[in-house]
Amino acid sequence: MLPSPILALITITGAALVSATNVAQLQAALAAGGVSAVYSTNSNYSTVTAAYNRRFTISPIAVAYPTSDQQVATAVKAGSQQGIAVVARSGGHSYIANGLGGTNGSLVVDLSKMKSISVRSSNNTALIQTGNRLGDVAVTLNAAGRALPHGTCPYVGIGGHSGYGGFGFTSRAWGLTLDTIKSATVVLANGTIATASSTVNADLFWAIRGASPSFGIVTSIEVSTFAAPSSATVFEYNWNKLNVSAASNAISALQTYAATNIPAELGLELVFGAGPSKNTVYMGLTGAYYGTGDYSTILAPYLAKLPKPSSKDITPGSYINSVATLGAPDSLNTSSKPDDTDTFYTKSIMTPEGSPMSAAAISAFVKYMANQGYTSDTAWFVEVELYGGSNSAINAVPLNSTAFSKRDILFTLQLYASSANYSPPYPADGVSFVNGMYNSIINASPANWSFGAYLNYADNQLANATSLYYGSHYARLKSIKGSVDPSNVFRFPIGV
Ligand SMILES: Cc1cc2nc3c(=O)[nH]c(=O)nc-3n(C[C@H](O)[C@H](O)[C@H](O)COP(=O)(O)OP(=O)(O)OC[C@H]3O[C@@H](n4cnc5c(N)ncnc54)[C@H](O)[C@@H]3O)c2cc1C
Ligand SMILES: *[C@@H]1O[C@H](CO)[C@@H](O)[C@H](O)[C@H]1NC(C)=O
Ligand SMILES: *[C@@H]1O[C@H](CO)[C@@H](O)[C@H](O)[C@H]1NC(C)=O
Ligand SMILES: *[C@@H]1O[C@H](CO)[C@@H](O)[C@H](O)[C@H]1NC(C)=O
Ligand SMILES: *[C@@H]1O[C@H](CO)[C@@H](O)[C@H](O)[C@H]1NC(C)=O
Ligand SMILES: *[C@@H]1O[C@H](CO)[C@@H](O)[C@H](O)[C@H]1NC(C)=O
Ligand SMILES: *[C@@H]1O[C@H](CO)[C@@H](O)[C@H](O)[C@H]1NC(C)=O
Ligand SMILES: *[C@@H]1O[C@H](CO)[C@@H](O)[C@H](O)[C@H]1NC(C)=O
Ligand SMILES: *[C@@H]1O[C@H](CO)[C@@H](O)[C@H](O)[C@H]1NC(C)=O
Ligand SMILES: *[C@@H]1O[C@H](CO)[C@@H](O)[C@H](O)[C@H]1NC(C)=O
């Protein structure tokens, strides 16, 4: 028996006022549409609502498991009719648990029962349902000799990844994952199943390529695929101990090297971690080369600027081997084992190509890593990912042709600190450690420095988040949001 709705507010802490009647009506609407769902009263609720980032404990109203576009539409309508926020979950790897709503009291539309992929050889496209994860997408495309640009972690979902960006070592040649989208099927706030392409719902098509979570649930994307390269070499160099000047030089020399005529088929990043003693850092140089000829000749001018590495690991092989090497220890087929978890806080900085990091900013940053980084009780790393440089396909896309907010990026920096054992509790000083690292760069940079932040490295504690995440696109995004989701059904932290 349901008691009076006013007296029986569902005890989901922090949720907007959702009554037992609302939940009962949601449940009835989902059941009527044949959509299975898990509620807080079910024994598997805590398992299905566990966040990848265990810094977050989120209690959604329900997690629905649609099997078709029509069922996704049923779920969206059922949630919006009860005033409940609706969010999609693809791989669940959001850094701030936005796949669970990011805050309590949402309806999660989990896409894991929508995993078809069809590769069309007639026009080199693939139609990919957004319940898929990157490893499975790579395996399936590769079986047909095709490939897509995307990140390295096999368990990341294609839904979130392609909605906000999607960077991997093929991106300098092929662009971000979102740059490959030709059309999409999107369930809108009112339950309409819409097509979006350059010719149909062009505003929506623009918005979902950079900010999709705020505009609808993308149930499938049609992407342009690339011929899988005939070979690929993954390289990793390690410096176990670099002093501040050598590590600073490695960053500034990369800025210089990137501006020389390096091929698009070269992708790389620097990785930093705690050094073996104060005033030192660990550094790695990881990347892959997908072109013809010897990668080492191409990389030689950069390596010549660095001390001799402590070790190196070079893995030549097929394209799919390179995806597997970069994804290790996870295997590409994600049905082989369940997903991992972590407990972490992250910030990002996208640096402008026309105004790279200053010597002062690099020095302050490296000093911070070598000192505060040495004493930090977190397990931290920094990635300096090369988005730009000569011949980068990412920056060749005109800024206004998608909602992705920056097309003049040299580096995307990821500042990432986990708890020491990757499990809760998160140390009390973890967030301030990352903020201090971020500030070491920003405070030593020009006041008008036109940097940005990357939505796939989501941070819900970022000052000036709207401007850093959405840049000059925000006004247009707001206007499209007003027409396709006027009552803000798709709402969550750092959304439009
Ligand atoms: C281990 C690890 C490695 C990573 N490596 C890389 C990397 O190499 N390169 C890179 O660019 N990024 C990388 N990322 C970041 C990753 O791209 C983002 O976390 C991404 O948003 C995760 O997508 P998801 O579908 O797994 O997450 P989810 O939590 O399911 O979704 C993320 C956001 O997208 C929304 N969303 C999901 N599916 C849809 C959909 N179909 N329609 C509309 N909205 C949707 C969700 O509501 C949520 O707001 C990595 C993350 C992790 C955890
Ligand atoms: C969300 O709910 C959980 C469990 O009920 C609770 O621990 C947490 O504090 C709530 N979060 C917020 C932001 O209220
Ligand atoms: C959750 O448990 C119910 C039975 O209690 C089961 O029917 C359902 O399939 C489970 N769902 C998931 C996603 O595990
Ligand atoms: C590609 O071909 C498929 C049929 O094989 C078709 O449905 C689709 O519309 C085509 N896409 C483009 C972008 O031409
Ligand atoms: C992953 O492995 C399972 C079980 O062996 C198989 O059914 C599935 O087709 C594989 N997935 C891909 C993408 O190859
Ligand atoms: C820093 O390391 C470099 C490279 O190993 C070395 O040449 C240089 O002398 C070192 N500087 C200091 C101050 O120790
Ligand atoms: C991009 O669009 C904005 C408006 O959204 C406009 O002000 C700007 O001039 C455009 N930029 C280019 C390069 O077209
Ligand atoms: C930033 O300010 C400096 C002077 O402090 C000026 O030279 C430069 O042009 C400005 N850059 C931008 C992008 O406004
Ligand atoms: C936020 O960004 C805007 C636009 O770039 C800038 O003018 C403003 O100074 C920034 N504010 C803060 C607090 O950083
Ligand atoms: C649903 O919203 C879309 C976008 O605003 C609109 O074009 C469509 O007419 C709406 N459908 C209904 C049934 O209201």
Side-chain angles (χ1 to χ4, degrees), residues 105-168:
S106 304
L107 170 63
V108 175
V109 179
D110 182 291
L111 298 162
S112 60
K113 293 199 179 340
M114 296 177 63
K115 288 195 170 176
S116 82
I117 301 177
S118 64
V119 186
R120 292 98 152 245
S121 55
S122 59
N123 54 15
N124 290 330
T125 64
L127 188 63
I128 302 174
Q129 280 191 312
T130 51
N132 283 290
R133 296 175 189 256
L134 303 182
D136 304 300
V137 171
V139 167
T140 304
L141 294 190
N142 184 68
R146 310 300 298 176
L148 268 190
H150 56 70
T152 51
C153 178
Y155 282 73
V156 164
I158 194 84
H161 197 63
S162 68
Y164 278 149
F167 168 83

Side-chain angles (χ1 to χ4, degrees), residues 11-15 57-59 103-104:
T11 55
I12 284 183
T13 322
T57 307
I58 308 276
S59 299
T103 186
N104 289 346

Side-chain angles (χ1 to χ4, degrees), residues 16-30:
L17 247 48
V18 173
S19 70
T21 304
N22 291 134
V23 177
Q25 286 175 357
L26 173 76
Q27 193 157 3
L30 291 175

Side-chain angles (χ1 to χ4, degrees), residues 206 395-408 472-473:
W206 179 81
N395 290 340
V397 176
L399 175 63
N400 280 358
S401 73
T402 73
F404 189 75
S405 71
K406 277 185 86 62
R407 293 291 183 173
D408 65 341
S472 60
H473 291 334

Side-chain angles (χ1 to χ4, degrees), residues 3 10 67 83 134 136 149 185 201 213 223 227 232 288 297 309-310 347-348 354 375 379 403 435 440 478 492:
I10 291 298
T67 56
L134 303 182
D136 304 300
T185 301
N201 293 314
V223 294
T297 313
S310 323
K347 283 189 127 62
S348 67
T375 50
N435 284 334
S440 73
K478 243 345 213 189
F492 49 84

Side-chain angles (χ1 to χ4, degrees), residues 188 190 192 483-484:
L188 303 178
N190 63 10
T192 298
S483 69
V484 298

Side-chain angles (χ1 to χ4, degrees), residues 424-441:
Y426 194 66
D429 56 356
V431 171
S432 61
F433 169 66
V434 173
N435 284 334
M437 190 184 286
Y438 179 86
N439 290 335
S440 73
I441 298 170

